Amino acid sequence: NVDCSLDKIDMETIIQRLPDDLRDLCNLIMNGWNTSETAELLGISRSKIYDNLNSLKPIFERFKKGAMTENGN
């Protein structure tokens, strides 16, 4: 089984480069806030939370593919 996890430093680098709204979303989710709580804190709908999370997937997928290539996986 191939370990495709991103290490903490790489995650922080990606998150730091995101626009403020997406960075805030990532930080809340990564710190255990659920989508309802996150939506309330950010003042946006849950559907917008899901839209934003879906927009983040390709960013992390591209990074993960690059990390796997560099590691020879």
Side-chain angles (χ1 to χ4, degrees):
N1 197 3
V2 177
D3 180 13
C4 296
S5 62
L6 305 173
D7 70 16
K8 186 176 180 179
I9 294 171
D10 293 333
M11 288 288 288
E12 289 174 358
T13 300
I14 293 170
I15 292 169
Q16 286 174 356
R17 294 179 180 174
L18 294 172
D20 291 343
D21 58 336
L22 295 178
R23 186 172 46 246
D24 292 344
L25 170 62
C26 284
N27 285 324
L28 289 168
I29 296 294
M30 288 174 42
N31 284 299
W33 296 89
N34 67 37
T35 54
S36 295
E37 295 165 332
T38 300
E40 186 175 335
L41 285 167
L42 296 178
I44 59 177
S45 68
R46 284 188 306 150
S47 64
K48 183 63 176 171
I49 295 290
Y50 291 118
D51 289 344
N52 287 344
L53 289 172
N54 283 328
S55 73
L56 289 168
K57 285 181 184 178
I59 295 168
F60 289 103
E61 287 298 318
R62 278 194 306 270
F63 177 82
K64 191 164 41 171
K65 285 180 185 175
M68 289 177 64
T69 302
E70 289 175 10
N71 292 329
N73 295 324

